[in-house]
Amino acid sequence: MPLLRKAALSLFVWIVVLLVSFPLIWMVITSVKPQTELFRIPPTWLPETVTFEHYWTLLSETPFLLYFRNSVILSTATTIFVVALATLGAYSLVRFRYRGRETLAMLVLFTYLLPSVVLIIPLYLMMVSLGLSNTLISLVLAYTTFALPYALWLMRSFMEGVPPDLEAAAMVDGASRMGAFRDIIFPQLLPGIISTALFTFILAWNEYLYALVLVNSDSSRPLTTGVMSMLISAFNIEWSLLMAASVMMSVPLIIIFAFLQSYLTSGFGGGAVKG
Amino acid sequence: MADIELRNVRKAFINFVALEDLNLRIEDGEFVALLGPSGCGKSTTLRMLAGLEFPTDGEIRIGGKVVNDVAPGKRDIAMVFQSYALYPHMTVAQNIAYPLKKRGVDKAERDRKVERAAALLHLEPLLSRKPKQLSGGQQQRVALGRALVREPEVFLLDEPLSNLDAKLRSYMRIELIELHRQLGKTMVYVTHDQLEAMTMAHRIAVMNGGKLQQFDTPDAIYNRPANLFVADFIGTPSMNLMEGSLSGSNFTVGGQSVTIDRSRLKPETTDGAAVLGVRPEDIMLGDGTIDAVVELVENTGHEKIVALAVKGCDRILARAPSGSAITVGEAVKIGFDQTKTHLFEKDGEGRRLNLDQDHNSLP
Ligand SMILES: Nc1ncnc2c1ncn2[C@@H]1O[C@H](COP(=O)(O)OP(=O)(O)OP(=O)(O)O)[C@@H](O)[C@H]1O
Ligand SMILES: [Mg+2]
């Protein structure tokens, strides 16, 4: 009986996994099928001939690499910016007592109450008057505005988990406040920083709406809007290229996750202070 | 030289005054305990000495120098936190070496000093472990090691033993006394455990509600409590306090009178309402003038604690030898050891009315 239940459970889990991963698998398969095989009915499961021509076309004949570079710069810059601000902000919110501290923390969340479409136009106008329209910086700033609130609250809860005595001890041991932060607090916050960085990077990497509105020149378009405008038109969708582009867009995220996953889980549970 | 002086120190938090007008002088090399109930401001005092909090008013001097504005790292102090505050991502060796590293001691010297501290505290086999792989007692020793590796002039210890079990605690108490003897440095030790304070410290500063109540030797604190709070706080079971009225050499409580040695009182003492204090061991069972009824007998093995009902005051506790035959419900006469009674003001701060030189001044 327990064996049967276990088997049933496994079956169920596998069905769910397959359902979830099917589009991904199909995406990969489609990207290596020759164009001729694409719309065959009934569809072929495994491609009869495997081809990488779509990848090659993308890399050599389209601005894909430019978009890719833009996305990397954009996401990395946003991540660094947001993590730095959120970490220092959280440190301040947790460690210091000052007037309006809680109000400030709440106010930051306020942007979340508004749908992002409402914020786009003012942001766009702001960027124009700052002379930043059509630049990567404008996107970095825009992404920061909606990644920061969550990042700040995330870092704040991590920061609250770091006992203040640790820092006090470091200061008594001869460290400056910044030194104590670097030597002691930062290593404790690392799992939090990595989570926040992942969250921000993914958000920036996948963002579409702001990129569509704020940037309309190829030189600073990120992958999301770039690939869309390049491969999808009113009359035609380049399915093969789109799938190949999607695969290549997912690769960086998969790599990052693979690298940081162990960090994410192992970092927790410091045991700094007996309790 | 590192004597410590607090002059008129006041500490107010945003909506709370934690310390009021604290004056304290700690001699170089002295072992002083700060003792008091929870929330009385012990940690706050210690953190101000460490430079982790700043006094709202007043002056703090270490080794004669005003240190009000000196950063913690620049005062020649080390502190052991109640939570130990070991750096979780560093090994024991790195933890102990950290203060040296921060002061630019070179690697070879650092290793040598860490080794010495580890030897002193029997930490050698643990040097490469992380704090979370240590027991409470071991963590505590690492915290001590980190404090003494630098050989500072002043040690500040905030309830370092409070999280240990009873056996380890009494062991560490002896270790700490021994350590202090070896190092000869000034130590300020915060505790709310009177046994720790009484057994370890040269002098005890008893605090309550942000105010210093008495600062004296354990002996004086026990035998000459400065006020009702100290009388009540020190000693287990605590001193019996009986409200009554003084008239000449008579103290009347609940209609019964006892004779008081008026020459032991301060000359300015006036007749009227007062509080008589008698320690449980100074109550003589079956030898006196006061009527009492035995309510309860607790046998601890080496003695008996006898609870007595006396008209007009709270239950009175007395110590009796474990062999004494006392039965519950029995009526007894009790008396107080005349040379060891304490008299306090009933109102105000409950100040002691006895002359200070009375006890233990006998040859
Ligand atoms: N940062 C702060 N803000 C406001 N009040 C504080 C702050 N730190 C301490 N207090 C208050 O000051 C008082 C003294 O605190 P302190 O930590 O010195 O007590 P303590 O004597 O060490 O007590 P315990 O034995 O519980 O450790 C307490 O009432 C506490 O609530
Ligand atoms: Mg405390």
Side-chain angles (χ1 to χ4, degrees), chain A residues 249-272:
Chain A
M249 277 172 76
S250 319
V251 167
L253 293 189
I254 292 169
I255 291 175
I256 290 175
F257 253 112
F259 266 103
L260 295 184
Q261 190 201 25
S262 61
Y263 247 115
L264 273 179
T265 44
S266 75
F268 292 108

mmCIF file of all heavy atoms in Angstrom, chain A residues 249-272:
data_model
loop_
_atom_site.group_PDB
_atom_site.id
_atom_site.type_symbol
_atom_site.label_atom_id
_atom_site.label_comp_id
_atom_site.label_asym_id
_atom_site.label_seq_id
_atom_site.Cartn_x
_atom_site.Cartn_y
_atom_site.Cartn_z
ATOM 1 N N MET A 249 18.249 33.568 -24.614
ATOM 2 C CA MET A 249 17.909 34.509 -23.540
ATOM 3 C C MET A 249 17.847 33.817 -22.189
ATOM 4 O O MET A 249 18.112 34.416 -21.146
ATOM 5 C CB MET A 249 16.538 35.144 -23.815
ATOM 6 C CG MET A 249 16.589 36.320 -24.750
ATOM 7 S SD MET A 249 14.930 36.846 -25.183
ATOM 8 C CE MET A 249 14.430 37.698 -23.709
ATOM 9 N N SER A 250 17.464 32.540 -22.226
ATOM 10 C CA SER A 250 17.305 31.835 -20.946
ATOM 11 C C SER A 250 18.628 31.348 -20.385
ATOM 12 O O SER A 250 18.759 31.152 -19.175
ATOM 13 C CB SER A 250 16.389 30.628 -21.123
ATOM 14 O OG SER A 250 15.322 30.951 -21.956
ATOM 15 N N VAL A 251 19.590 31.146 -21.293
ATOM 16 C CA VAL A 251 20.856 30.559 -20.849
ATOM 17 C C VAL A 251 21.534 31.322 -19.696
ATOM 18 O O VAL A 251 21.898 30.716 -18.695
ATOM 19 C CB VAL A 251 21.817 30.364 -22.048
ATOM 20 C CG1 VAL A 251 23.225 30.064 -21.574
ATOM 21 C CG2 VAL A 251 21.313 29.218 -22.910
ATOM 22 N N PRO A 252 21.661 32.648 -19.803
ATOM 23 C CA PRO A 252 22.345 33.354 -18.702
ATOM 24 C C PRO A 252 21.672 33.121 -17.352
ATOM 25 O O PRO A 252 22.348 32.891 -16.344
ATOM 26 C CB PRO A 252 22.241 34.827 -19.108
ATOM 27 C CG PRO A 252 22.051 34.803 -20.569
ATOM 28 C CD PRO A 252 21.287 33.568 -20.884
ATOM 29 N N LEU A 253 20.336 33.157 -17.341
ATOM 30 C CA LEU A 253 19.625 32.963 -16.079
ATOM 31 C C LEU A 253 19.896 31.576 -15.517
ATOM 32 O O LEU A 253 20.112 31.402 -14.320
ATOM 33 C CB LEU A 253 18.120 33.161 -16.277
ATOM 34 C CG LEU A 253 17.678 34.581 -16.614
ATOM 35 C CD1 LEU A 253 16.158 34.672 -16.570
ATOM 36 C CD2 LEU A 253 18.279 35.575 -15.640
ATOM 37 N N ILE A 254 19.890 30.587 -16.442
ATOM 38 C CA ILE A 254 20.126 29.215 -15.979
ATOM 39 C C ILE A 254 21.527 29.086 -15.383
ATOM 40 O O ILE A 254 21.718 28.509 -14.315
ATOM 41 C CB ILE A 254 19.936 28.218 -17.146
ATOM 42 C CG1 ILE A 254 18.457 28.194 -17.527
ATOM 43 C CG2 ILE A 254 20.421 26.833 -16.760
ATOM 44 C CD1 ILE A 254 18.153 27.460 -18.806
ATOM 45 N N ILE A 255 22.490 29.691 -16.060
ATOM 46 C CA ILE A 255 23.869 29.626 -15.557
ATOM 47 C C ILE A 255 23.972 30.282 -14.185
ATOM 48 O O ILE A 255 24.520 29.724 -13.236
ATOM 49 C CB ILE A 255 24.835 30.315 -16.550
ATOM 50 C CG1 ILE A 255 24.928 29.482 -17.829
ATOM 51 C CG2 ILE A 255 26.216 30.478 -15.926
ATOM 52 C CD1 ILE A 255 25.765 30.120 -18.918
ATOM 53 N N ILE A 256 23.390 31.485 -14.076
ATOM 54 C CA ILE A 256 23.479 32.209 -12.806
ATOM 55 C C ILE A 256 22.844 31.400 -11.678
ATOM 56 O O ILE A 256 23.410 31.245 -10.588
ATOM 57 C CB ILE A 256 22.799 33.591 -12.929
ATOM 58 C CG1 ILE A 256 23.648 34.480 -13.823
ATOM 59 C CG2 ILE A 256 22.631 34.229 -11.561
ATOM 60 C CD1 ILE A 256 23.025 35.818 -14.129
ATOM 61 N N PHE A 257 21.678 30.844 -11.973
ATOM 62 C CA PHE A 257 21.004 30.047 -10.953
ATOM 63 C C PHE A 257 21.854 28.858 -10.536
ATOM 64 O O PHE A 257 22.017 28.572 -9.351
ATOM 65 C CB PHE A 257 19.654 29.537 -11.479
ATOM 66 C CG PHE A 257 18.509 30.257 -10.870
ATOM 67 C CD1 PHE A 257 17.707 31.094 -11.625
ATOM 68 C CD2 PHE A 257 18.239 30.108 -9.510
ATOM 69 C CE1 PHE A 257 16.643 31.779 -11.049
ATOM 70 C CE2 PHE A 257 17.180 30.783 -8.943
ATOM 71 C CZ PHE A 257 16.386 31.623 -9.710
ATOM 72 N N ALA A 258 22.429 28.192 -11.537
ATOM 73 C CA ALA A 258 23.229 27.012 -11.231
ATOM 74 C C ALA A 258 24.386 27.368 -10.311
ATOM 75 O O ALA A 258 24.706 26.640 -9.368
ATOM 76 C CB ALA A 258 23.749 26.396 -12.522
ATOM 77 N N PHE A 259 24.981 28.538 -10.561
ATOM 78 C CA PHE A 259 26.122 28.935 -9.753
ATOM 79 C C PHE A 259 25.735 29.344 -8.344
ATOM 80 O O PHE A 259 26.406 29.016 -7.374
ATOM 81 C CB PHE A 259 26.862 30.101 -10.413
ATOM 82 C CG PHE A 259 27.994 29.655 -11.266
ATOM 83 C CD1 PHE A 259 27.881 29.633 -12.642
ATOM 84 C CD2 PHE A 259 29.184 29.233 -10.679
ATOM 85 C CE1 PHE A 259 28.926 29.201 -13.435
ATOM 86 C CE2 PHE A 259 30.227 28.801 -11.459
ATOM 87 C CZ PHE A 259 30.101 28.782 -12.848
ATOM 88 N N LEU A 260 24.643 30.093 -8.236
ATOM 89 C CA LEU A 260 24.319 30.713 -6.955
ATOM 90 C C LEU A 260 23.426 29.852 -6.073
ATOM 91 O O LEU A 260 23.260 30.130 -4.900
ATOM 92 C CB LEU A 260 23.653 32.071 -7.186
ATOM 93 C CG LEU A 260 24.583 33.084 -7.855
ATOM 94 C CD1 LEU A 260 23.892 34.425 -7.953
ATOM 95 C CD2 LEU A 260 25.879 33.222 -7.071
ATOM 96 N N GLN A 261 22.884 28.810 -6.649
ATOM 97 C CA GLN A 261 21.925 27.999 -5.907
ATOM 98 C C GLN A 261 22.522 27.473 -4.606
ATOM 99 O O GLN A 261 21.936 27.582 -3.542
ATOM 100 C CB GLN A 261 21.465 26.847 -6.787
ATOM 101 C CG GLN A 261 20.311 26.091 -6.196
ATOM 102 C CD GLN A 261 20.221 24.711 -6.809
ATOM 103 O OE1 GLN A 261 21.214 24.174 -7.280
ATOM 104 N NE2 GLN A 261 19.041 24.147 -6.794
ATOM 105 N N SER A 262 23.746 26.942 -4.701
ATOM 106 C CA SER A 262 24.365 26.371 -3.508
ATOM 107 C C SER A 262 24.582 27.458 -2.460
ATOM 108 O O SER A 262 24.406 27.255 -1.266
ATOM 109 C CB SER A 262 25.682 25.717 -3.871
ATOM 110 O OG SER A 262 26.560 26.676 -4.393
ATOM 111 N N TYR A 263 24.943 28.659 -2.941
ATOM 112 C CA TYR A 263 25.136 29.802 -2.057
ATOM 113 C C TYR A 263 23.857 30.127 -1.302
ATOM 114 O O TYR A 263 23.838 30.367 -0.106
ATOM 115 C CB TYR A 263 25.492 31.029 -2.886
ATOM 116 C CG TYR A 263 26.883 31.517 -2.660
ATOM 117 C CD1 TYR A 263 27.829 31.483 -3.678
ATOM 118 C CD2 TYR A 263 27.262 32.009 -1.420
ATOM 119 C CE1 TYR A 263 29.109 31.926 -3.477
ATOM 120 C CE2 TYR A 263 28.541 32.451 -1.210
ATOM 121 C CZ TYR A 263 29.463 32.415 -2.240
ATOM 122 O OH TYR A 263 30.721 32.854 -2.038
ATOM 123 N N LEU A 264 22.768 30.133 -2.094
ATOM 124 C CA LEU A 264 21.479 30.523 -1.539
ATOM 125 C C LEU A 264 21.095 29.635 -0.376
ATOM 126 O O LEU A 264 20.604 30.097 0.638
ATOM 127 C CB LEU A 264 20.402 30.415 -2.620
ATOM 128 C CG LEU A 264 20.233 31.639 -3.483
ATOM 129 C CD1 LEU A 264 19.158 31.402 -4.512
ATOM 130 C CD2 LEU A 264 19.863 32.825 -2.615
ATOM 131 N N THR A 265 21.322 28.341 -0.525
ATOM 132 C CA THR A 265 20.886 27.433 0.535
ATOM 133 C C THR A 265 21.919 27.310 1.635
ATOM 134 O O THR A 265 21.579 27.270 2.804
ATOM 135 C CB THR A 265 20.577 26.046 -0.042
ATOM 136 O OG1 THR A 265 21.614 25.704 -0.953
ATOM 137 C CG2 THR A 265 19.249 26.039 -0.759
ATOM 138 N N SER A 266 23.203 27.294 1.276
ATOM 139 C CA SER A 266 24.224 27.052 2.303
ATOM 140 C C SER A 266 24.442 28.259 3.203
ATOM 141 O O SER A 266 24.852 28.125 4.337
ATOM 142 C CB SER A 266 25.551 26.664 1.656
ATOM 143 O OG SER A 266 26.160 27.813 1.099
ATOM 144 N N GLY A 267 24.148 29.439 2.689
ATOM 145 C CA GLY A 267 24.433 30.646 3.446
ATOM 146 C C GLY A 267 23.559 30.811 4.669
ATOM 147 O O GLY A 267 23.952 31.415 5.647
ATOM 148 N N PHE A 268 22.398 30.224 4.630
ATOM 149 C CA PHE A 268 21.464 30.438 5.732
ATOM 150 C C PHE A 268 21.890 29.734 7.007
ATOM 151 O O PHE A 268 22.654 28.775 6.973
ATOM 152 C CB PHE A 268 20.069 29.968 5.339
ATOM 153 C CG PHE A 268 19.451 30.818 4.271
ATOM 154 C CD1 PHE A 268 19.313 30.341 2.985
ATOM 155 C CD2 PHE A 268 19.045 32.100 4.558
ATOM 156 C CE1 PHE A 268 18.766 31.132 2.001
ATOM 157 C CE2 PHE A 268 18.487 32.892 3.582
ATOM 158 C CZ PHE A 268 18.352 32.404 2.291
ATOM 159 N N GLY A 269 21.367 30.197 8.118
ATOM 160 C CA GLY A 269 21.637 29.528 9.388
ATOM 161 C C GLY A 269 23.048 29.761 9.874
ATOM 162 O O GLY A 269 23.829 28.839 9.982
ATOM 163 N N GLY A 270 23.375 31.010 10.142
ATOM 164 C CA GLY A 270 24.741 31.340 10.545
ATOM 165 C C GLY A 270 25.083 30.826 11.935
ATOM 166 O O GLY A 270 26.153 30.294 12.164
ATOM 167 N N GLY A 271 24.144 30.964 12.872
ATOM 168 C CA GLY A 271 24.438 30.568 14.244
ATOM 169 C C GLY A 271 25.427 31.515 14.885
ATOM 170 O O GLY A 271 26.398 31.111 15.514
ATOM 171 N N ALA A 272 25.182 32.806 14.700
ATOM 172 C CA ALA A 272 26.116 33.807 15.188
ATOM 173 C C ALA A 272 26.084 33.877 16.693
ATOM 174 O O ALA A 272 27.099 33.949 17.363
ATOM 175 C CB ALA A 272 25.743 35.164 14.613
#
